[in-house]
């Protein structure tokens, strides 16, 4: 009797399991990257699929790219599936790339499909191609797995700023938030085999609005989360001092209708000339003041661009919503953006311990 | 007193060519001596009993006066006792004065050697032999105390095997001792020829794969268990001892754990528990992940496995089950082959499995590695019986994983845990101290601690003397 009860208990969860066809791992082709572009008739979907190493074609190229034209992404998937002898498996996708045209036309439907797909993971990094198409990027990189290249690039973005790497889950959150617009990292390329990330593009709703310059992208990083790696070169006493921001934290408060934005940052000296090597309090204060000014100007310039374009890719809207229980009654946040008032203050602490040690040692050697 | 008839005894041993009868004349008359050739030391019988007897007038006087003092002498009062005595190698003497049994047994026994199955580096090197008396002596040498009690029983309708129940009189719970003796007395079989007879009778759940009684060939392991308040059973003719009650934690411990640095031993023991999980879950997990949940594999690993499986005509489950079966076959073949040919089995196995099967695309290297890791983990289990049980559960969980994916693995794992939780050995839950109503005690279960830090005996045994130290 006990065994029967136990079996029933074990079988109950089966009811909650969605049954799907299983397939042997070697009977599947792993889609590593999906690219989506706009064409007049709808969409152009490109997938990058690594060749098995035992395949003869793998001697020449590592990835096979295949493109289909379709009206919707789900139709595209079916067409791709039909064109393959193996089952296409999307659970291993590690990058989604949108072409510029597609991003400008609206990404909602595609995001909806990606999120609903039972195979697709939620931690997929999403990025946009500037002045090009996703197909070009994927088809032009058959000697290597483009998703790995993109992952590597995104890792460097992530190393620069915690908020740099936008995943599918984060994208959905931003899409659903009425007080926040989407920003996505974008890549540019001269040589299709060597793309690089240049900054963020910002959206109005589901449509891409514009590409931000690297400086304004840095401002977005400062406003959204921690900047963990950025170098500034300052001139002091006629010599260059290279300073590196190692960490930053941003606090936003809405007081008397004014957004007070306070950025606290930690920095260290990477390189300095002989005349500024013996860091005294005055030198440190001066360098901190310079950094504060740089950061404030960066953030101020970014906010200026964002507010004028009515794209709030920062936590300002969330702060407004939290501070005003009836925020929704004020109307569209994007319409209010150009009228908001804000102050930006930066407070940088400079760590000179490593530099001083090096300086003393050099003096000793002399 | 029952009349003991020589005719009845001769008749009982009819058609026994090795049964011998001698008539001896002594001062007071004629007596008959019975014994079994080969079991009785004839030289000693002639020299120390018959020769002395011839010079005597009265047998009982000769015994009492010490003329016949070479060996133990019993005076059986029934024919059955006489027959049993003869069967055990004693020489029976029947005269008008009565019946006597002279302990003239010829001891053909193996000397105490090193343990074959449970070897160790620093722990003691002696192991039990087939002689019960020697085995009890080995324990008495380790526990020099009158509190080490040894109760003797006879089991087996035909074999009349002597069995000893050992326990520490001042520590062990009386109820446990009574239970063990009662269970032994209830054993009604023809004989105890193999260790399985006692094991089966002590196991509450006969259909469980898991051993419910700890079997060891190491006296030090038994001695430690006795000092913890457990009982031991030693049967004549078996080079092992049974330790009762048994729990999972005991199967995961080795005497070596207590021979070295306790921190290192603790790490090794924790590793052993980890390996238990790997052994049981790895093949099933591999099948489930490669068949149902490819998205959970890291990208490069998924590609690598898919690459490795390219050209293999069988599904993953078949591949893994075939490899597991082949592994069992190799173990079985290695056991039954003569030692000189055992190496050949390993070589053929390694060549067939490792090289030819992969080269012929019959199995993928990934499946081979998974089964090999699981096999190595199974060898890391200290107890062979326990390892065998895990190997069977491994197959069940692998099949469950192939049928239901990770759900099957989890369901199989829960089923195994539920089964383990339901097992009992002499009233002690199998999963003690991890579950089973006693306070979880990490000492001496998951980790090893020095004796001075482990002052209390196991709570679940409810011993008389709960503290090891003052």
């Amino acid at each position: 009797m006990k065994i029967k009860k136990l079996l029933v208990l074990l079988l109950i969860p089966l009811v909650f399991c969605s049954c799907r066809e299983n397939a042997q791992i070697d009977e599947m082709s792993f889609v590593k990257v999906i690219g989506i572009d706009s064409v007049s008739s709808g969409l152009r979907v490109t997938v990058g699929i690594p060749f098995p190493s035992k395949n003869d074609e793998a001697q020449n190229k590592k990835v096979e790219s295949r493109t289909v034209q379709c009206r919707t992404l789900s139709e595209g998937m079916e067409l791709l599936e039909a064109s393959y002898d193996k089952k296409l498996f999307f659970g291993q996708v590690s990058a989604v790339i949108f072409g510029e045209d597609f991003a400008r036309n609206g990404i909602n439907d595609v995001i909806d499909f990606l999120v609903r797909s039972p195979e697709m993971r939620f931690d997929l990094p999403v990025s946009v191609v500037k002045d090009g198409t996703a197909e070009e990027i994927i088809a032009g990189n058959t000697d290597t797995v483009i998703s790995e290249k993109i992952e590597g690039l995104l890792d460097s973005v992530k190393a620069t700023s915690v908020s740099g790497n936008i995943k599918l889950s984060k994208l959905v959150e931003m899409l659903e938030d009425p007080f926040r617009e989407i920003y996505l990292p974008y890549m540019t390329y001269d040589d299709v085999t060597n793309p690089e990330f240049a900054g963020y593009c910002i959206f109005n709703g589901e449509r891409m609005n514009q590409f931000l310059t690297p400086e304004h992208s840095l401002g977005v990083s400062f406003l959204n989360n921690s900047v963990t790696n950025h170098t500034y070169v300052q001139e002091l006493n006629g010599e260059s001092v290279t300073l590196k921001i190692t960490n930053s934290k941003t606090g936003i408060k809405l007081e008397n209708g004014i957004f007070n934005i306070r950025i606290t940052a930690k920095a260290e000296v990477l390189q300095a000339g002989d005349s500024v090597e013996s860091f005294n309090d005055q030198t440190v204060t001066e360098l901190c003041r310079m950094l504060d000014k740089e950061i404030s100007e960066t953030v101020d310039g970014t906010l200026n661009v964002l507010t004028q374009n009515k794209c709030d890719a920062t936590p300002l809207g969330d702060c407004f919503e939290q501070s005003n229980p009836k925020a929704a009654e004020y109307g569209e946040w994007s319409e209010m953006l150009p009228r908001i008032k804000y102050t930006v203050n930066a407070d940088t602490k400079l760590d000179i311990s490593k530099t001083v040690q090096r300086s003393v040692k050099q003096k000793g050697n002399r | 007193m029952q009349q003991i008839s020589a005719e009845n005894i001769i008749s009982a041993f009819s058609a026994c060519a090795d049964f011998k009868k001698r008539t001896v004349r002594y001062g007071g008359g004629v007596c008959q001596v019975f014994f079994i050739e080969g079991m009785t030391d004839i030289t000693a019988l002639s020299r120390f009993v018959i020769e002395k007897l011839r010079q005597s007038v009265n047998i009982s006087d000769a015994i009492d006066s010490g003329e016949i003092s070479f060996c133990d002498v019993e005076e059986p009062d029934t024919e059955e006792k006489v027959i049993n005595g003869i069967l055990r190698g004693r020489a029976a003497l029947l005269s008008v004065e009565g019946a006597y049994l002279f302990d003239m047994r010829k001891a053909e026994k193996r000397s105490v050697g090193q343990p074959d199955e449970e070897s160790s580096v620093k722990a003691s090197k002696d192991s039990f032999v087939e002689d019960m008396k020697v085995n009890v002596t080995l324990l008495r040498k380790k526990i020099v105390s009158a509190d080490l009690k040894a109760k003797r029983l006879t089991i087996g309708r035909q074999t009349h095997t002597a069995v000893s129940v050992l326990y520490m009189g001042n520590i062990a719970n009386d109820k446990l001792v009574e239970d063990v003796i009662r269970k032994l007395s209830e054993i009604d079989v023809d004989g105890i020829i193999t260790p399985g007879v006692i094991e089966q009778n002590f196991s509450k759940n006969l259909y469980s794969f898991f051993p419910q009684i700890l079997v060891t060939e190491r006296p030090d392991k038994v001695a430690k268990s006795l000092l913890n308040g457990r009982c031991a059973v030693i049967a004549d003719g078996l080079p092992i001892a049974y330790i009762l009650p048994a729990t999972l934690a005991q199967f995961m411990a080795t005497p070596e754990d207590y021979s070295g640095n306790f921190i290192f031993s603790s790490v090794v023991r924790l590793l052993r528990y980890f390996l238990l999980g790997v052994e049981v879950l790895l093949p099933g997990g591999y099948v489930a992940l490669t068949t149902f949940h490819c998205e959970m594999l890291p990208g490069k690993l998924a590609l690598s496995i898919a690459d490795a499986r390219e050209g293999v005509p069988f599904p993953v489950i078949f591949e893994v089950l075939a490899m597991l079966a082949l592994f069992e076959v190799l173990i079985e073949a290695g056991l039954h082959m003569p030692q000189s040919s055992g190496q050949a089995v390993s070589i053929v196995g390694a060549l067939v499995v490792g090289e030819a099967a992969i080269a012929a695309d019959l199995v993928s290297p990934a499946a081979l590695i998974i089964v090999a890791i699981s096999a190595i983990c199974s060898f890391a289990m200290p107890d062979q019986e326990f390892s065998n049980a895990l190997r069977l559960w491994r197959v069940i969980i692998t099949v469950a994983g192939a049928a239901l994916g990770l759900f099957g693995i989890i369901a199989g794992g829960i089923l195994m845990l539920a089964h383990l939780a339901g097992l009992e050995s002499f009233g002690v839950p199998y999963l003690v101290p991890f579950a089973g109503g006693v306070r979880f005690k990490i000492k001496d279960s998951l980790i090893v601690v020095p004796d001075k830090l482990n002052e209390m005996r196991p709570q679940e045994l409810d011993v008389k003397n709960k503290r090891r130290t003052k």
Side-chain angles (χ1 to χ4, degrees):
Chain A
M1 194 62 191
K2 274 183 183 173
I3 291 174
K4 278 182 189 170
K5 279 182 187 170
L6 189 65
L7 282 176
V8 169
L9 274 175
L10 288 170
L11 290 172
I12 284 173
L14 269 182
V15 179
F16 304 107
C17 294
S18 58
C19 299
R20 68 173 180 86
E21 280 181 28
N22 62 326
Q24 299 299 312
I25 194 166
D26 52 313
E27 291 165 0
M28 292 189 274
S29 284
F30 297 108
V31 177
K32 291 297 287 180
V33 59
I34 302 177
I36 302 162
D37 296 301
S38 272
V39 288
S40 55
S41 57
L43 299 174
R44 190 167 57 220
V45 181
T46 310
V47 290
I49 302 165
F51 278 116
S53 60
K54 286 185 183 174
N55 192 306
D56 293 339
E57 283 188 68
Q59 307 301 320
N60 305 319
K61 52 182 185 179
K62 286 187 175 172
V63 182
E64 181 189 12
S65 74
R66 196 162 287 201
T67 305
V68 290
Q69 292 205 6
C70 48
R71 282 164 297 178
T72 62
L73 183 55
S74 54
E75 187 195 17
M77 298 292 192
E78 279 178 23
L79 289 171
L80 282 166
E81 189 88 54
S83 70
Y84 255 81
D85 55 340
K86 288 183 175 181
K87 180 189 183 306
L88 285 189
F89 183 67
F90 292 90
Q92 288 286 347
V93 173
S94 53
V96 176
I97 307 170
F98 296 147
E100 182 179 340
D101 289 345
F102 172 74
R104 287 192 189 280
N105 288 341
I107 59 171
N108 239 357
D109 289 348
V110 165
I111 297 296
D112 183 64
F113 174 78
L114 292 176
V115 172
R116 284 173 194 275
S117 166
E119 286 184 357
M120 214 70 76
R121 299 202 312 235
F122 267 35
D123 62 344
L124 286 177
V126 185
S127 53
V128 177
V129 183
K130 187 186 177 192
D131 298 331
T133 61
E135 186 194 2
E136 283 172 350
I137 290 272
I138 296 170
N141 283 281
T142 51
D143 59 331
T144 181
V145 183
I146 181 66
S147 61
E148 283 175 17
K149 201 178 268 186
I150 292 170
E151 276 178 85
L153 287 170
L154 284 170
D155 280 346
S156 62
V157 174
K158 202 162 64 177
T160 311
S161 160
V162 175
S163 55
N165 195 351
I166 306 294
K167 310 275 189 189
L168 190 59
S169 51
K170 174 83 176 164
L171 190 59
V172 174
E173 267 177 42
M174 291 195 284
L175 265 172
E176 288 173 347
D177 189 344
F179 289 91
R180 197 184 181 99
E181 298 293 357
I182 299 169
Y183 66 98
L184 286 176
Y186 70 88
M187 44 185 158
T188 57
Y189 57 85
D190 293 325
D191 172 9
V192 75
T193 59
N194 198 19
E196 58 183 41
F197 277 106
Y200 299 122
C201 55
I202 50 171
F203 283 62
N204 266 136
E206 61 159 332
R207 294 169 197 276
M208 196 193 81
N209 180 296
Q210 65 166 298
F211 294 101
L212 294 178
T213 62
E215 191 189 357
H216 293 153
S217 298
L218 177 67
V220 170
S221 289
F222 267 121
L223 283 162
N224 276 289
N225 209 323
S226 176
V227 170
T228 48
N229 182 10
H230 185 77
T231 51
Y232 283 103
V233 180
Q234 303 292 337
E235 293 294 323
L236 187 69
N237 301 337
E239 290 202 41
S240 298
V241 183
T242 311
L243 303 167
K244 179 184 161 191
I245 303 284
T246 56
N247 198 5
S248 78
K249 199 174 177 183
T250 303
I252 303 173
K253 275 185 185 171
L254 180 58
E255 288 169 338
N256 304 322
I258 300 171
F259 289 96
N260 291 319
I261 300 161
R262 184 175 173 76
I263 298 152
T264 49
K266 284 181 184 170
E268 61 185 34
V269 180
L270 280 187
Q271 196 179 345
D274 283 348
S275 63
V276 287
E277 281 247 312
S278 52
F279 284 94
N280 53 33
D281 287 349
Q282 195 184 347
T283 313
V284 171
T285 310
E286 181 59 16
L287 285 170
C288 286
R289 192 192 59 75
M290 287 175 165
L291 271 181
D292 291 347
K293 188 166 173 272
E294 284 267 12
I295 294 170
S296 299
E297 282 175 3
T298 304
V299 173
D300 192 54
T302 305
L303 279 172
N304 198 24
V305 172
L306 295 178
T307 50
Q308 293 315 308
N309 285 283
K310 299 180 182 178
C311 299
D312 181 16
T314 71
L316 285 181
D318 292 335
C319 177
F320 175 69
E321 187 193 13
Q322 284 164 17
S323 307
N324 295 281
K326 295 177 181 175
E329 293 174 10
Y330 284 80
E332 286 285 317
W333 170 241
S334 57
E335 293 301 324
M336 293 165 65
L337 262 179
R339 300 195 301 274
I340 65 165
K341 291 176 182 170
Y342 55 85
T343 60
V344 181
N345 289 299
D347 179 18
T348 311
K349 284 193 170 65
L350 191 62
D351 177 11
I352 56 165
S353 53
K354 290 176 190 169
T355 317
V356 170
Q357 281 170 6
R358 190 190 67 172
S359 171
V360 170
K361 196 176 174 186
Q362 281 179 348
K363 279 176 188 170
N365 288 341
R366 282 172 204 158
Chain B
M1 183 176 149
Q2 186 195 338
Q3 189 63 38
I4 297 171
S5 153
E7 282 72 32
N8 287 348
I9 290 168
I10 293 165
S11 140
F13 285 99
S14 61
C16 296
D18 52 350
F19 175 72
K20 300 293 173 192
K21 183 187 88 175
R22 297 279 184 274
T23 304
V24 180
R25 289 185 186 279
Y26 68 103
V30 178
C31 66
Q32 287 182 307
V33 177
F34 304 107
F35 61 92
I36 292 177
E37 195 178 22
M39 289 185 79
T40 307
D41 188 343
I42 299 171
T43 315
L45 179 69
S46 308
R47 194 170 160 193
F48 299 108
V49 178
I50 297 177
E51 286 297 319
K52 301 277 180 192
L53 202 59
R54 281 195 175 130
Q55 296 159 18
S56 310
V57 177
N58 187 294
I59 297 172
S60 54
D61 286 348
I63 293 168
D64 292 343
S65 64
E67 278 179 62
I68 304 173
S69 59
F70 175 71
C71 55
D72 289 343
V73 183
E74 283 177 36
E75 291 185 44
D77 49 5
T78 61
E79 280 174 2
E80 194 188 346
K81 284 183 181 172
V82 174
I83 292 167
N84 276 341
I86 295 169
L87 286 169
R88 290 184 187 286
R90 293 190 174 95
L93 189 149
L94 259 64
S95 71
V96 287
E97 292 176 41
Y100 302 92
L101 283 171
F102 295 94
D103 195 352
M104 311 297 293
R105 280 179 286 181
K106 196 158 78 175
E108 291 290 348
K109 58 192 172 196
R110 187 164 62 95
S111 57
V112 175
Q114 288 199 10
D116 294 328
E117 303 293 329
E118 300 168 84
S119 55
S120 71
V121 180
K122 279 168 82 180
S124 63
K125 300 279 191 283
D126 50 349
S127 77
F128 289 126
V129 293
E130 285 75 7
D131 192 300
M132 186 187 72
K133 282 184 180 172
V134 174
N135 292 345
V136 174
T137 310
L138 287 173
L139 286 171
R140 286 233 177 258
K141 279 184 180 173
K142 294 196 186 294
I143 305 174
V144 186
S145 165
D147 284 318
L148 174 59
K149 308 294 180 192
K151 288 201 174 170
R152 199 166 287 186
L153 293 92
T154 305
I155 303 172
R157 283 169 181 266
Q158 306 299 327
T159 60
H160 304 287
T161 309
V163 175
S164 279
V165 179
L166 292 110
Y167 60 94
M168 293 301 293
N170 59 339
I171 300 173
N173 185 318
D174 290 337
K175 189 173 175 303
L176 173 68
V177 177
E178 279 168 26
D179 278 356
V180 172
I181 292 171
R182 184 177 50 77
K183 283 237 175 189
L184 277 172
S185 317
E186 284 170 3
I187 295 176
D188 186 14
V189 289
D190 272 347
I192 296 176
I193 307 295
T194 57
V197 178
I198 291 179
E199 249 176 281
Q200 286 156 14
N201 279 280
F202 277 154
S203 300
K204 198 176 173 186
N205 186 346
L206 263 181
Y207 300 102
S208 174
F209 301 154
F210 287 98
Q212 290 149 66
I213 172 171
L214 185 61
V215 179
T216 182
E217 56 179 348
R218 298 189 64 96
D220 54 348
K221 201 168 176 177
V222 177
K224 187 163 176 62
S225 297
L226 290 175
L227 294 176
N228 274 339
R230 290 189 156 82
C231 283
V233 173
I234 296 176
D236 203 21
L238 300 177
I240 50 165
Y242 302 94
I243 298 172
L244 312 153
T247 60
L248 182 136
Q250 275 184 288
F251 290 105
M252 299 301 284
T254 67
E256 198 68 21
D257 290 350
Y258 304 96
S259 308
N261 178 284
F262 76 97
I263 298 170
F264 179 77
S265 299
S266 299
V267 173
V268 171
R269 193 177 281 185
L270 283 171
L271 182 68
R272 226 175 270 146
Y273 278 97
F274 171 72
L275 295 180
L276 184 154
V278 173
E279 181 195 348
V280 176
L281 300 176
L282 187 67
Y286 171 72
V287 173
L289 287 178
T290 53
T291 314
F292 289 93
H293 316 285
C294 291
E295 68 279 1
M296 289 181 74
L297 292 167
K300 284 184 179 170
L301 180 63
L303 275 175
S304 162
I305 294 173
D307 260 11
R309 269 196 52 78
E310 199 75 19
V312 177
F314 308 113
V316 177
I317 176 64
F318 182 83
E319 214 184 349
V320 170
L321 285 181
M323 294 304 295
L324 287 174
L326 198 59
F327 165 67
E328 295 299 328
V329 169
L330 282 173
I331 290 180
E332 196 62 20
L335 277 177
H336 298 304
M337 290 289 280
Q339 267 194 338
S340 53
S341 316
Q343 293 275 344
V345 174
S346 313
I347 294 165
V348 169
L351 282 176
V352 169
V353 176
E355 297 286 334
I358 291 172
D361 274 346
L362 289 174
V363 290
S364 68
L368 180 66
I369 290 166
I370 294 293
V371 173
I373 291 172
S374 178
I376 291 166
C377 292
S378 77
F379 292 136
M381 295 299 115
D383 189 90
Q384 192 58 43
E385 288 285 314
F386 189 71
S387 177
N388 291 347
L390 291 176
R391 289 199 331 245
L392 281 171
W393 271 98
R394 176 174 67 184
V395 174
I396 293 173
I397 289 175
T398 304
V399 172
L404 301 169
L406 279 184
F407 171 77
I409 302 286
I410 293 165
I414 291 173
L415 203 64
M416 188 178 105
L417 272 180
H419 171 68
L420 283 172
L423 288 181
E424 264 188 15
S425 177
F426 285 87
V428 175
Y430 203 65
L431 289 185
V432 160
F434 310 112
V438 297
R439 196 164 59 87
F440 173 62
K441 190 179 150 200
I442 196 167
K443 289 177 185 174
D444 212 21
S445 54
L446 279 180
I447 61 164
V448 183
V449 288
D451 279 345
K452 66 178 179 181
L453 296 179
N454 192 16
E455 294 167 341
M456 306 302 284
R457 295 184 213 283
Q459 189 192 342
E460 67 273 11
L461 296 175
D462 195 18
V463 292
K464 289 177 193 163
N465 182 358
K466 294 191 188 321
R467 292 186 71 86
R468 290 178 214 270
T469 53
K470 279 188 179 175

